[in-house]
Amino acid sequence: MGAQIRVYRQKIASTTSMQKIFKAMELIAASRIGKARTRVAASLPYSNAITRAVSAVASQSEIDHPLTTEPEQIRRAAVVIMTSDRGLAGSYSAGVLKQGEALNELLRDEGKEVKTYLVGRKGQAYYEFRNRSVERVWTGGTDAPEFETAREIGKALLDDFNTAYEDGGVDEIHIVYTRFKSMVIQEPAVIRLLPLEVVEEEAQSSAEFLPLYEYEPEPEKVLDALLPRYIESRIFAAMLQAAASELAARQRAMKAAGDNATDLIKKYTRLRNNARQAEITQELSEIVAGADALSAS
């Protein structure tokens, strides 16, 4: 009986220690989510402005540009999957990976080859465990993205897009990430980055008209200059959305884990008290039995 009490005490101590860790991680995520949401909001004006500029060039000019023209045959696609570097965020990375698997299956059903690019160690571990090949991996700072990383990803994707299929190039580019809607709702999403599909984060009014531009030099050269920046801004916006979603998911997961730890501590405390009470009852019974034996003798 004493050994059982010691076991419950050890479980209470270990669960209490874990509860402190969960609480600390919840507080850290809660303190960082505000900054992450601010960065998401701050990225929208630039992203929307460059989107409007590219939209105007693409829609108001009769040009045949490889970045805005749908190829006759799409034979190979690049898929960028954005996961987290760390765990303890509930089903955040699992949801993105599941969405990525669905997209890969759809592309293969359409007869397309898939080249995979990964952001985050969780995605890297997922593919390494299954012995799947990936083109490139970027890790570090998924919960606090840097623009230099987005620029590096954009350059790698554009280089592949501008490379011929026979030399290993791709015909289209997709991004799989988690869209931040609120502290409660974060949804895995897929966007096709290239060939260009102009979609703004904030929907424009149907009555709003694109501005008219005079191009100097030609529209093709304007697109050559604008599109790399457009791609970088879209990638960085997706990374910021994913970071805010990761922190929100981690805060919820750590709160749930802390609540579960509290319930376990109560359960183990009750079991420990029951075991202690049973031990005291047994000792009293032994004392009474001994006293009865002595009086009988």
Side-chain angles (χ1 to χ4, degrees):
M1 196 67 67
Q4 191 176 18
I5 293 176
R6 285 195 298 273
V7 169
Y8 288 134
R9 284 176 178 170
Q10 291 172 358
K11 288 183 176 181
I12 291 171
S14 62
T15 306
T16 301
S17 177
M18 293 173 61
Q19 183 187 39
K20 292 178 181 178
I21 296 174
F22 297 150
K23 185 64 176 177
M25 295 190 69
E26 178 190 353
L27 293 175
I28 292 172
S31 66
R32 299 180 66 180
I33 187 65
K35 182 178 179 181
R37 295 177 68 180
T38 301
R39 294 185 73 188
V40 170
S43 69
L44 288 177
Y46 175 79
S47 179
N48 287 345
I50 197 168
T51 296
R52 287 166 56 80
V54 173
S55 300
V57 176
S59 61
Q60 297 171 8
S61 305
E62 296 295 332
I63 59 174
D64 184 17
H65 196 278
L67 299 183
T68 59
T69 304
E70 188 81 19
E72 295 182 0
Q73 182 181 8
I74 297 178
R75 294 167 289 181
R76 184 181 293 126
V79 177
V80 183
I81 303 177
M82 297 183 178
T83 62
S84 64
D85 282 326
R86 298 183 293 124
L88 300 177
S91 61
Y92 167 76
S93 292
V96 179
L97 290 169
K98 182 178 179 180
Q99 187 73 41
E101 292 283 16
L103 175 62
N104 289 341
E105 183 178 355
L106 176 63
L107 293 174
R108 291 190 178 98
D109 289 342
E110 294 174 353
K112 304 173 185 177
E113 301 177 30
V114 177
K115 293 178 69 173
T116 304
Y117 299 77
L118 299 175
V119 179
R121 294 189 179 93
K122 286 297 178 180
Q124 182 182 18
Y126 179 87
Y127 274 76
E128 286 180 351
F129 180 77
R130 289 159 178 78
N131 294 321
R132 298 181 184 176
S133 61
V134 296
E135 193 66 21
R136 287 194 63 177
V137 180
W138 291 269
T139 59
T142 56
D143 56 353
E146 298 292 338
F147 185 75
E148 286 302 318
T149 305
R151 178 175 294 169
E152 184 179 343
I153 296 172
K155 183 179 184 304
L157 293 176
L158 280 175
D159 288 344
D160 270 2
F161 190 78
N162 291 325
T163 302
Y165 169 80
E166 293 74 15
D167 297 328
V170 299
D171 301 312
E172 66 178 358
I173 299 172
H174 300 267
I175 296 180
V176 185
Y177 71 107
T178 305
R179 181 181 292 121
F180 181 87
K181 290 192 171 182
S182 68
M183 289 296 296
V184 179
I185 302 175
Q186 301 91 40
E187 297 178 347
V190 178
I191 58 173
R192 193 180 81 160
L193 202 59
L194 291 175
L196 184 63
E197 287 184 345
V198 179
V199 179
E200 293 195 12
E201 293 294 331
E202 296 291 339
Q204 295 181 3
S205 169
S206 58
E208 187 176 357
F209 297 97
L210 292 173
L212 296 175
Y213 292 99
E214 294 183 0
Y215 308 112
E216 181 66 32
E218 294 78 12
E220 290 84 354
K221 294 184 179 180
V222 174
L223 276 180
D224 287 338
L226 281 181
L227 278 168
R229 292 170 174 78
Y230 171 80
I231 298 302
E232 292 168 1
S233 69
R234 293 295 300 273
I235 293 174
F236 189 53
M239 293 174 68
L240 291 176
Q241 294 258 354
S245 300
E246 177 185 346
L247 291 171
R250 180 167 292 113
Q251 182 185 3
R252 287 201 317 275
M254 291 299 97
K255 186 181 186 306
D259 294 342
N260 290 337
T262 300
D263 294 339
L264 279 176
I265 291 172
K266 291 179 180 179
K267 176 183 176 181
Y268 291 144
T269 301
R270 185 174 62 254
L271 293 173
R272 182 199 62 187
N273 292 339
N274 291 340
R276 182 186 300 168
Q277 185 177 4
E279 183 181 24
I280 293 172
T281 302
Q282 182 179 355
E283 290 176 355
L284 288 174
S285 299
E286 291 174 355
I287 292 171
V288 172
D292 290 342
L294 287 175
S295 62
S297 63

